[in-house]
Amino acid sequence: MPSTPRTLDLASFIVDRSLDEPLHLQIYHGVRDSILNGRLAPGLRLPSTRTMALSWAISRSTVLAAIDQLKAEGYLEGRAGSGVFVSHTIPDRLNCVKSDRAKSDAVPTGGNPSPQLSNRGSSICDEFRIRREYFDHATPFRPGVPAEGTFPSKRWSRLSTRLWRKFECDPPLVVEPMGYSPLREAIAVHLGATRGVSCDADQIVIVSSTQHALMMLGQILLDSGDSVWIEDPGYLRAQAALAAVGAKVEPIPLDDEGIDLEHALRTAPSAKLCYVTPSHQYPLGITMSLSRRLALLEWSARSRSWIVEDDYMAEYRYAGQPLVSLQGLDEFARVIYLGTFSKTFSPALRLGFIVIPQELISAFNAVRSLIDRCPSFIDQAVLAEFMREGHLGRHVRRMRRVYDERRNCLRHALNSEIPCLDLRPVQSGMHTVAWLPSGSDDCRVARHLAEEGVVTFPLSTMCHRPIAPALILGYAGWNRVQTLQQVRRMERSLRTILSEYCS
Amino acid sequence: MPSTPRTLDLASFIVDRSLDEPLHLQIYHGVRDSILNGRLAPGLRLPSTRTMALSWAISRSTVLAAIDQLKAEGYLEGRAGSGVFVSHTIPDRLNCVKSDRAKSDAVPTGGNPSPQLSNRGSSICDEFRIRREYFDHATPFRPGVPAEGTFPSKRWSRLSTRLWRKFECDPPLVVEPMGYSPLREAIAVHLGATRGVSCDADQIVIVSSTQHALMMLGQILLDSGDSVWIEDPGYLRAQAALAAVGAKVEPIPLDDEGIDLEHALRTAPSAKLCYVTPSHQYPLGITMSLSRRLALLEWSARSRSWIVEDDYMAEYRYAGQPLVSLQGLDEFARVIYLGTFSKTFSPALRLGFIVIPQELISAFNAVRSLIDRCPSFIDQAVLAEFMREGHLGRHVRRMRRVYDERRNCLRHALNSEIPCLDLRPVQSGMHTVAWLPSGSDDCRVARHLAEEGVVTFPLSTMCHRPIAPALILGYAGWNRVQTLQQVRRMERSLRTILSEYCS
């Protein structure tokens, strides 16, 4: 222990009027710190407030404010008539812990490189470490980036102003667990008309993202260790979300019709849930065939398992209409349908939804009421109004035109500039798959391109079983100029790295 | 199988111009349904599009649109020259499944009362079933309801309009995983000034609620089965969130200084995490003593466990200043600090934050990037601006005045009208604890009151070990008139039910 003065050394104690910190707080902090660092020992008697006030030339009430606060917090204790003392209830132990601190290794220091994470925490970090190089800024051709300047800001702003006025706007005092009713109504109508989804508003649960949806589903439908079928290659974040809730993720290969059901039944016959992207398989863009859809539905009906249909990109289809959803074909209420507005508007909006079977409503209501809530009321209200006024359809049609142009621009540029890339026709979505010459290493290629400022996702990072080398290129976010410029860059750097293939 | 016609019966097939549904969609749905319900068997040949167009007196292009869509979806297949046929790839199995449906019990029907929930899903539902009667509308004295009409709507609306203009407003194309930087900056400054929390903006993680925060913490710091200390009685939703991520929740009793550390060390010595509400224990309102704070910090430093400090109501303190946070006392970076704007503004805003130690930043960044994202950009941007312009302090001071008045109004009314209720002084928060005469049953009393339209939370529903019967009464949401009216109601119905005690 440091030697402790018999009383508070008023001289050493500066109260500075020039500081922003109010005087009573200066005293409060000064005394508190002296107590905590042991300079003022337990039992020590403080000078009278009058003495302190005089010696610091400040009002006594200021001193009293500080002392009262220190008493309230237990640093000081007053004894009737005999003054104010440093509290005895401060364990000396802490001072020891502190003086140990430098040498002690029992006590971690702030900079500890390996914090005590859980196993799942660590595995998420490892997972991320592998991928992080591909989670980059909004640079062509990063997939999933929407077109700049297309967010309907003016209308959004006008609607929100109007809503604030309309409600005067007290947001509701009690949050609706499942989400803002008018938005749920609007979504139910929209889905019926555009996706053949049959549901009532009370089956709609507003969430902030697909990951959020999957975590809720995991809590309600899965126990840790339960098997879940996912598509291989597939949507990384969905897999991570399912793994995070303790599911045993079973990667199932794909064929031309979609997820390979026979293979799935062989490898994990007792799966509790199947996560699929039937309209536009992520990342390959395969549309699940009708027969595969029906077979999957029959499996879920017979095994009483759940199908999670992630219809993340249905609205961006450039040829034919979007295919009808699995949910719309389902007669046995086994399909849980996920949708998002991240692609329709912006990932910054953080709004999506789940369509659940009637029989799950009470469970979702319970989870929502107890351990989760819906996203921001305000955005929900604005989006509801936006949809109610029929702007969504117009917005989607507009985006579809933009993205179709950008898709064609990229395809033509790649075909003419980099013929050694094999592009299969893509009818929908916001990205395309460029197959590399077999034998090449897509991670190496992607890293090489990243160094040149061209961002792509290597397919193999989305595969559990390697299939063939390919790059995922997002086209939605980039205008003609950006696209052509990046394709030229790509061409230059691929010429060196793929010389043995492209010539 | 039902008998299947040799071809599509055009007469029975009505195309109705008076319907809203476009003609091609009527045809599409009609044919699709006939195929799925087996009326049109696989291999069946369809009439020519010309024939159909003629018999329905519509344009051939309309028919073609429908047929093309049905082909695209695999219901129909065209054979060069020989016309269009019902696809063979539709497994008859499904038709069997369907005809089974009525009798089959292997196949659940939509109305199934017991869906296949996970164990954790079921336990959440059971938990909720017990509590649901207390999750009611915004009726006095439901705790946690903010004052109506106090949301700074005009300013909020003005700020959001301005932001939309300023950004033109493209929301950012790539979401910042940890949250909108300017908001994180503003929160760091605010916490330093008001709560003695020492942190940089990069330690702030924006979340939508305390539950959301606890789920993330659970994923990163806990594996299922890990012990966690919680306060008993304590905050139900926090317990539920920790249980939902698989933690073994250990309820620890309280004494006058806060959570009973000795007891905790005896019952669950190897706890990985401790969840506490030191400023204003929920629901009892105890302020954790300094010595208990220091002892808890020492425990976490020595055992390298985590302390989660939920400072949910710090700003609403009516006597003295808010006590300095545990985080501010922590020298070993073991404290994770939770804050929320649900109490400051409205639960509908869905914004809160976590202050994490430096060493956890990369882990949170990984979880955020892979399986979670931050709440809506727009609200974050508006709140950031609101704070940057210094409105938060003013707003809180205003709310504090309102709530202090309401607190006094309720206390005086209860003391004068219902003397058999024992109210301990409450210095902070949005609710008070009314102790019932010992021997009475608080659940029974609460149910009785609920029938009379007076909502209260019985303390025993928040206890693992019964302590004493009491009612939690929220006062924040109710003005003088509402409060006095409800107190009179309370008095009337308690007179009957507590007659043996109050006389």
Side-chain angles (χ1 to χ4, degrees), chain B residues 212-269:
Chain B
H212 182 203
L214 289 169
M215 303 237 234
M216 286 184 71
L217 288 166
Q219 274 158 1
I220 295 172
L221 302 177
L222 301 174
D223 287 307
S224 55
D226 285 348
S227 298
V228 170
W229 296 343
I230 57 150
E231 297 164 321
D232 178 20
Y235 183 40
L236 175 70
R237 287 197 168 97
Q239 298 171 33
L242 288 165
V245 291
K248 184 166 184 302
V249 171
E250 303 278 2
I252 308 298
L254 306 164
D255 59 25
D256 303 346
E257 299 193 63
I259 193 166
D260 182 340
L261 193 53
E262 310 303 327
H263 184 290
L265 288 164
R266 277 200 307 280
T267 49

Coordinates of all heavy atoms in Angstrom, one line a residue, chain B residues 212-269:
Chain B
H212 N -31.7 -8.3 -27.9 CA -30.9 -8.5 -29.1 C -29.4 -8.5 -28.6 O -28.6 -9.4 -29.0 CB -31.1 -7.3 -30.0 CG -30.4 -7.4 -31.3 ND1 -30.1 -6.3 -32.1 CD2 -29.7 -8.4 -32.0 CE1 -29.4 -6.6 -33.1 NE2 -29.1 -7.9 -33.1
A213 N -29.1 -7.6 -27.7 CA -27.7 -7.5 -27.2 C -27.4 -8.8 -26.5 O -26.3 -9.4 -26.8 CB -27.6 -6.3 -26.2
L214 N -28.3 -9.3 -25.7 CA -27.9 -10.5 -24.9 C -27.8 -11.7 -25.8 O -27.0 -12.6 -25.5 CB -29.0 -10.8 -23.8 CG -29.0 -9.7 -22.7 CD1 -30.2 -9.9 -21.8 CD2 -27.7 -9.9 -21.9
M215 N -28.6 -11.8 -26.9 CA -28.4 -12.9 -27.8 C -27.1 -12.9 -28.5 O -26.4 -13.9 -28.6 CB -29.5 -12.9 -28.8 CG -30.9 -12.9 -28.2 SD -31.8 -14.2 -28.8 CE -33.2 -13.3 -29.3
M216 N -26.6 -11.7 -28.9 CA -25.3 -11.6 -29.5 C -24.2 -12.0 -28.5 O -23.3 -12.8 -28.8 CB -25.0 -10.2 -30.0 CG -25.8 -9.8 -31.2 SD -25.3 -8.1 -31.7 CE -23.6 -8.5 -32.2
L217 N -24.4 -11.5 -27.3 CA -23.4 -11.8 -26.2 C -23.4 -13.3 -26.0 O -22.3 -13.9 -25.9 CB -23.7 -11.1 -24.9 CG -23.5 -9.6 -25.0 CD1 -24.1 -8.9 -23.8 CD2 -21.9 -9.3 -24.9
G218 N -24.6 -13.9 -26.0 CA -24.7 -15.4 -25.8 C -23.9 -16.1 -26.8 O -23.2 -17.1 -26.5
Q219 N -24.1 -15.7 -28.1 CA -23.4 -16.4 -29.2 C -21.9 -16.3 -29.1 O -21.2 -17.2 -29.3 CB -23.9 -15.8 -30.5 CG -25.1 -16.4 -31.0 CD -25.9 -15.5 -32.0 OE1 -25.4 -14.4 -32.3 NE2 -27.0 -16.0 -32.5
I220 N -21.4 -15.1 -28.7 CA -20.0 -14.8 -28.7 C -19.3 -15.4 -27.5 O -18.2 -15.9 -27.5 CB -19.7 -13.3 -28.9 CG1 -20.3 -12.9 -30.2 CG2 -18.3 -13.0 -28.7 CD1 -20.2 -11.4 -30.4
L221 N -20.0 -15.3 -26.3 CA -19.3 -15.6 -25.0 C -19.8 -16.9 -24.4 O -19.1 -17.3 -23.5 CB -19.6 -14.4 -24.1 CG -19.1 -13.0 -24.6 CD1 -19.5 -12.0 -23.5 CD2 -17.6 -13.0 -24.9
L222 N -20.9 -17.4 -24.8 CA -21.4 -18.6 -24.0 C -21.6 -19.8 -24.9 O -22.0 -19.6 -26.1 CB -22.8 -18.2 -23.4 CG -22.8 -17.1 -22.4 CD1 -24.2 -16.8 -22.0 CD2 -21.9 -17.4 -21.2
D223 N -21.3 -21.0 -24.4 CA -21.7 -22.2 -25.1 C -22.9 -22.7 -24.3 O -23.1 -22.4 -23.1 CB -20.6 -23.2 -25.1 CG -19.5 -22.8 -26.1 OD1 -19.9 -22.5 -27.3 OD2 -18.4 -22.6 -25.7
S224 N -23.7 -23.6 -24.9 CA -24.9 -24.0 -24.2 C -24.4 -24.9 -23.0 O -23.5 -25.6 -23.0 CB -25.8 -24.8 -25.1 OG -25.2 -25.9 -25.6
G225 N -25.1 -24.6 -21.9 CA -24.7 -25.2 -20.6 C -23.9 -24.3 -19.7 O -23.8 -24.6 -18.5
D226 N -23.3 -23.3 -20.3 CA -22.5 -22.4 -19.4 C -23.4 -21.7 -18.4 O -24.5 -21.3 -18.7 CB -21.8 -21.3 -20.3 CG -20.6 -21.8 -21.1 OD1 -20.2 -23.0 -20.7 OD2 -20.1 -21.2 -22.0
S227 N -22.9 -21.6 -17.2 CA -23.6 -20.9 -16.1 C -23.6 -19.4 -16.2 O -22.5 -18.9 -16.6 CB -23.1 -21.3 -14.7 OG -23.2 -22.7 -14.6
V228 N -24.7 -18.8 -15.9 CA -24.8 -17.3 -15.9 C -25.5 -16.9 -14.7 O -26.6 -17.5 -14.3 CB -25.6 -16.9 -17.2 CG1 -25.9 -15.4 -17.1 CG2 -24.8 -17.2 -18.4
W229 N -25.0 -16.0 -13.9 CA -25.7 -15.4 -12.7 C -26.7 -14.4 -13.2 O -26.3 -13.5 -14.0 CB -24.7 -14.8 -11.8 CG -23.7 -15.7 -11.1 CD1 -23.7 -17.0 -11.1 CD2 -22.5 -15.3 -10.5 NE1 -22.6 -17.5 -10.4 CE2 -21.8 -16.4 -10.0 CE3 -21.9 -14.0 -10.2 CZ2 -20.6 -16.4 -9.4 CZ3 -20.7 -14.0 -9.6 CH2 -20.0 -15.1 -9.1
I230 N -27.9 -14.5 -12.7 CA -28.8 -13.4 -12.9 C -29.4 -13.0 -11.5 O -29.4 -13.8 -10.6 CB -30.0 -13.8 -13.8 CG1 -30.7 -15.1 -13.3 CG2 -29.5 -14.1 -15.2 CD1 -32.1 -15.2 -13.6
E231 N -30.0 -11.8 -11.5 CA -30.6 -11.4 -10.2 C -31.9 -12.0 -10.0 O -32.7 -12.2 -10.9 CB -30.7 -9.8 -10.2 CG -29.4 -9.1 -10.4 CD -29.5 -7.7 -10.8 OE1 -30.4 -7.4 -11.6 OE2 -28.8 -6.8 -10.2
D232 N -32.2 -12.4 -8.7 CA -33.5 -13.0 -8.4 C -34.1 -12.2 -7.2 O -33.6 -12.3 -6.1 CB -33.3 -14.5 -8.0 CG -34.6 -15.1 -7.6 OD1 -35.7 -14.6 -7.9 OD2 -34.6 -16.2 -6.9
P233 N -35.2 -11.5 -7.5 CA -36.0 -11.3 -8.7 C -35.2 -10.5 -9.7 O -34.3 -9.8 -9.4 CB -37.2 -10.5 -8.2 CG -36.8 -9.8 -7.0 CD -35.8 -10.7 -6.3
G234 N -35.6 -10.7 -11.0 CA -34.9 -10.0 -12.0 C -35.7 -9.8 -13.3 O -36.9 -10.0 -13.3
Y235 N -35.0 -9.3 -14.3 CA -35.7 -8.9 -15.6 C -36.0 -10.1 -16.4 O -35.1 -10.8 -16.9 CB -34.8 -7.9 -16.3 CG -35.4 -7.4 -17.6 CD1 -36.7 -7.0 -17.7 CD2 -34.6 -7.2 -18.7 CE1 -37.2 -6.5 -18.8 CE2 -35.1 -6.7 -19.9 CZ -36.4 -6.3 -20.0 OH -36.9 -5.8 -21.1
L236 N -37.2 -10.4 -16.5 CA -37.7 -11.7 -17.2 C -37.1 -11.8 -18.6 O -36.6 -12.9 -18.9 CB -39.2 -11.7 -17.2 CG -39.9 -12.8 -17.9 CD1 -39.7 -14.1 -17.1 CD2 -41.3 -12.5 -18.1
R237 N -37.2 -10.8 -19.4 CA -36.9 -10.9 -20.8 C -35.4 -11.2 -20.9 O -34.9 -11.9 -21.9 CB -37.3 -9.6 -21.6 CG -38.7 -9.5 -21.8 CD -39.0 -8.5 -22.9 NE -40.4 -8.5 -23.3 CZ -41.4 -7.7 -22.9 NH1 -41.1 -6.8 -22.0 NH2 -42.6 -7.8 -23.4
A238 N -34.6 -10.6 -20.0 CA -33.1 -10.9 -20.1 C -32.9 -12.3 -19.8 O -32.1 -13.0 -20.5 CB -32.4 -10.0 -19.1
Q239 N -33.5 -12.9 -18.8 CA -33.4 -14.3 -18.5 C -33.8 -15.1 -19.7 O -33.1 -16.1 -20.0 CB -34.2 -14.6 -17.3 CG -33.9 -13.9 -16.0 CD -34.9 -14.1 -14.9 OE1 -35.5 -15.2 -14.8 NE2 -35.1 -13.1 -14.1
A240 N -34.9 -14.8 -20.3 CA -35.4 -15.6 -21.4 C -34.4 -15.6 -22.6 O -34.1 -16.6 -23.2 CB -36.7 -15.0 -21.9
A241 N -33.8 -14.4 -22.8 CA -32.9 -14.3 -23.9 C -31.6 -15.1 -23.6 O -31.1 -15.8 -24.5 CB -32.5 -12.8 -24.1
L242 N -31.1 -15.1 -22.4 CA -29.9 -15.9 -22.0 C -30.3 -17.4 -22.1 O -29.5 -18.2 -22.6 CB -29.4 -15.5 -20.6 CG -28.8 -14.1 -20.6 CD1 -28.7 -13.6 -19.1 CD2 -27.4 -14.2 -21.3
A243 N -31.5 -17.7 -21.6 CA -31.9 -19.2 -21.7 C -32.0 -19.6 -23.2 O -31.6 -20.7 -23.5 CB -33.2 -19.4 -21.0
A244 N -32.5 -18.7 -24.0 CA -32.7 -19.0 -25.4 C -31.4 -19.3 -26.1 O -31.4 -20.1 -27.1 CB -33.4 -17.9 -26.1
V245 N -30.3 -18.8 -25.7 CA -29.0 -19.1 -26.3 C -28.3 -20.3 -25.6 O -27.1 -20.5 -25.8 CB -28.0 -17.9 -26.4 CG1 -28.5 -16.8 -27.3 CG2 -27.8 -17.3 -25.0
G246 N -29.1 -20.9 -24.7 CA -28.6 -22.2 -24.1 C -27.8 -22.0 -22.8 O -27.2 -23.0 -22.3
A247 N -27.8 -20.8 -22.3 CA -27.1 -20.6 -21.0 C -27.9 -21.3 -19.9 O -29.1 -21.4 -19.9 CB -27.0 -19.1 -20.7
K248 N -27.1 -21.8 -18.9 CA -27.7 -22.3 -17.6 C -27.9 -21.1 -16.7 O -26.9 -20.6 -16.1 CB -26.8 -23.4 -17.0 CG -27.4 -24.1 -15.8 CD -26.6 -25.3 -15.5 CE -27.2 -26.1 -14.3 NZ -27.3 -25.3 -13.1
V249 N -29.1 -20.7 -16.6 CA -29.4 -19.5 -15.8 C -29.5 -19.8 -14.3 O -30.2 -20.6 -13.9 CB -30.7 -18.8 -16.3 CG1 -31.1 -17.7 -15.3 CG2 -30.6 -18.3 -17.7
E250 N -28.6 -19.1 -13.5 CA -28.5 -19.4 -12.1 C -29.1 -18.1 -11.3 O -28.4 -17.1 -11.2 CB -27.1 -19.6 -11.6 CG -26.3 -20.7 -12.3 CD -26.6 -22.0 -11.7 OE1 -27.4 -22.1 -10.8 OE2 -26.1 -23.0 -12.2
P251 N -30.3 -18.2 -10.8 CA -30.9 -17.1 -10.1 C -30.2 -16.9 -8.7 O -30.1 -17.8 -7.9 CB -32.3 -17.5 -9.9 CG -32.5 -18.8 -10.6 CD -31.2 -19.4 -10.7
I252 N -29.7 -15.7 -8.5 CA -28.9 -15.3 -7.3 C -29.7 -14.3 -6.5 O -30.1 -13.3 -7.0 CB -27.5 -14.7 -7.7 CG1 -26.8 -15.6 -8.6 CG2 -26.8 -14.5 -6.4 CD1 -26.4 -17.0 -8.1
P253 N -30.0 -14.6 -5.2 CA -30.8 -13.7 -4.4 C -30.0 -12.4 -4.2 O -28.9 -12.2 -4.5 CB -30.9 -14.4 -3.1 CG -29.8 -15.4 -3.0 CD -29.6 -15.8 -4.4
L254 N -30.8 -11.4 -3.8 CA -30.3 -10.0 -3.5 C -30.2 -9.7 -2.0 O -31.0 -10.3 -1.3 CB -31.2 -9.0 -4.2 CG -31.5 -9.2 -5.7 CD1 -32.7 -8.4 -6.1 CD2 -30.3 -8.9 -6.5
D255 N -29.3 -8.8 -1.6 CA -29.4 -8.2 -0.3 C -29.5 -6.7 -0.5 O -29.6 -6.3 -1.7 CB -28.3 -8.6 0.6 CG -26.9 -8.3 0.0 OD1 -26.9 -7.3 -0.8 OD2 -25.9 -8.9 0.4
D256 N -29.4 -5.9 0.5 CA -29.5 -4.5 0.4 C -28.5 -3.9 -0.5 O -28.7 -2.8 -1.1 CB -29.4 -3.8 1.7 CG -30.5 -4.3 2.7 OD1 -31.4 -5.0 2.2 OD2 -30.4 -4.1 3.9
E257 N -27.4 -4.6 -0.7 CA -26.3 -4.0 -1.5 C -26.3 -4.5 -3.0 O -25.5 -4.0 -3.8 CB -24.9 -4.4 -0.9 CG -24.7 -3.8 0.5 CD -23.3 -3.9 0.9 OE1 -22.4 -3.3 0.3 OE2 -23.0 -4.7 1.9
G258 N -27.2 -5.4 -3.3 CA -27.3 -5.9 -4.6 C -27.2 -7.4 -4.7 O -27.5 -8.1 -3.7
I259 N -26.7 -7.9 -5.8 CA -26.6 -9.4 -5.9 C -25.7 -10.0 -4.9 O -24.7 -9.4 -4.6 CB -26.1 -9.7 -7.4 CG1 -26.3 -11.2 -7.7 CG2 -24.7 -9.3 -7.6 CD1 -26.2 -11.5 -9.2
D260 N -26.1 -11.1 -4.3 CA -25.4 -11.7 -3.2 C -24.2 -12.5 -3.7 O -24.4 -13.7 -4.1 CB -26.3 -12.6 -2.4 CG -25.7 -13.2 -1.2 OD1 -24.4 -13.3 -1.2 OD2 -26.4 -13.6 -0.2
L261 N -23.0 -11.9 -3.7 CA -21.9 -12.5 -4.4 C -21.5 -13.8 -3.7 O -21.2 -14.8 -4.3 CB -20.7 -11.5 -4.4 CG -19.5 -11.8 -5.2 CD1 -19.9 -12.1 -6.7 CD2 -18.5 -10.6 -5.2
E262 N -21.5 -13.8 -2.3 CA -21.1 -15.0 -1.6 C -22.0 -16.2 -2.0 O -21.5 -17.3 -2.4 CB -21.3 -14.8 -0.1 CG -20.6 -13.5 0.4 CD -19.1 -13.4 0.1 OE1 -18.5 -14.5 0.1 OE2 -18.6 -12.3 -0.1
H263 N -23.3 -15.9 -2.0 CA -24.2 -17.0 -2.4 C -23.9 -17.5 -3.9 O -23.9 -18.7 -4.1 CB -25.6 -16.4 -2.3 CG -26.7 -17.5 -2.6 ND1 -26.9 -18.0 -3.9 CD2 -27.6 -18.1 -1.8 CE1 -27.9 -18.8 -3.8 NE2 -28.3 -18.9 -2.6
A264 N -23.6 -16.5 -4.7 CA -23.4 -16.9 -6.1 C -22.2 -17.8 -6.2 O -22.2 -18.8 -6.9 CB -23.2 -15.6 -6.9
L265 N -21.1 -17.4 -5.5 CA -19.9 -18.2 -5.6 C -20.1 -19.6 -5.0 O -19.5 -20.6 -5.5 CB -18.8 -17.5 -4.8 CG -18.2 -16.2 -5.5 CD1 -17.4 -15.4 -4.6 CD2 -17.4 -16.6 -6.7
R266 N -21.0 -19.7 -4.0 CA -21.3 -21.1 -3.5 C -22.0 -21.9 -4.5 O -21.7 -23.0 -4.8 CB -22.1 -20.9 -2.2 CG -21.3 -20.7 -0.9 CD -22.1 -21.0 0.3 NE -23.5 -20.4 0.3 CZ -23.6 -19.1 0.7 NH1 -22.6 -18.4 1.0 NH2 -24.9 -18.6 0.7
T267 N -23.1 -21.3 -5.1 CA -24.0 -22.1 -5.9 C -23.5 -22.3 -7.3 O -23.7 -23.4 -7.9 CB -25.4 -21.4 -6.1 OG1 -25.1 -20.0 -6.4 CG2 -26.2 -21.5 -4.8
A268 N -22.8 -21.4 -7.9 CA -22.3 -21.5 -9.3 C -20.9 -20.9 -9.5 O -20.8 -19.8 -10.1 CB -23.3 -21.0 -10.3
P269 N -19.9 -21.5 -8.8 CA -18.6 -20.9 -8.8 C -18.0 -20.6 -10.1 O -17.2 -19.7 -10.3 CB -17.7 -21.8 -7.9 CG -18.5 -23.2 -8.0 CD -19.9 -22.8 -8.2

